[in-house]
Amino acid sequence: MTRIYYRGADAFVSGDQIMWLTTPVRTFAARELRDIRVFQASSSASAATRWTAWATLAAAAAGVGIAVVVDSTWMWVVSAAVDVLAVVWVWRAFVRRTPVWEIHATYRGSGVLLYASTDERVFHQVQRALRRSIEGQPAS
């Protein structure tokens, strides 16, 4: 009977296999894993988010230019609102990063990503289960 070390919504770790329940599901035989490493990275903003941030900045600059030409109170209010939106979008696209924890290993001679998560608690549960699974392997 195979021992189960972790069973969750996005991963399954047993004594003989590790499954990352993504699309498609990634399955690895525990006994064939070598050189297991953990990394913490930051996710980057998508191209669409970056493009939207630049477009919002351009709209903010155009709004200020129009407000100067028109010299209308409501135009200054609209320009200020667009400027605030631009700052928020730029911050979201370029400054704020969501940490991503990753487990990498060598599997059948190739480097693979075993598991990744933005949830630190779940990531460490999977990492501990993987460690216990590897420790429970018979010596070869």
Side-chain angles (χ1 to χ4, degrees):
M1 183 168 160
T2 300
R3 184 171 186 158
I4 296 173
Y5 294 101
Y6 180 84
R7 181 182 304 176
D10 64 343
F12 175 83
V13 181
S14 68
D16 59 351
Q17 70 178 357
I18 292 90
M19 294 175 66
W20 184 14
L21 306 175
T22 61
T23 304
V25 173
R26 298 181 187 184
T27 304
F28 306 96
R31 68 177 111 27
E32 296 184 41
L33 294 173
R34 304 285 181 267
D35 191 27
I36 297 171
R37 307 166 305 282
V38 174
F39 296 99
Q40 182 180 356
S42 294
S43 64
S44 61
S46 69
T49 302
R50 289 191 304 265
W51 185 89
T52 304
W54 287 118
T56 306
L57 279 175
V64 169
I66 292 171
V68 167
V69 171
V70 174
D71 196 26
S72 158
T73 303
W74 70 269
M75 197 60 193
W76 281 106
V77 170
V78 169
S79 175
V82 171
D83 290 346
V84 169
L85 181 64
V87 168
V88 168
W89 271 105
V90 168
W91 176 79
R92 183 174 181 266
F94 297 105
V95 177
R96 185 186 62 130
R97 299 282 193 250
T98 303
V100 177
W101 288 269
E102 300 177 343
I103 301 174
H104 293 259
T106 302
Y107 182 69
R108 296 181 179 168
S110 299
V112 295
L113 174 63
L114 289 179
Y115 179 74
S117 178
T118 57
D119 186 333
E120 184 177 12
R121 182 184 58 82
V122 171
F123 174 82
H124 288 299
Q125 289 174 349
V126 172
Q127 178 188 11
R128 175 70 177 136
L130 176 60
R131 185 178 302 124
R132 290 177 65 205
S133 174
I134 299 300
E135 289 170 354
Q137 295 293 316
S140 46

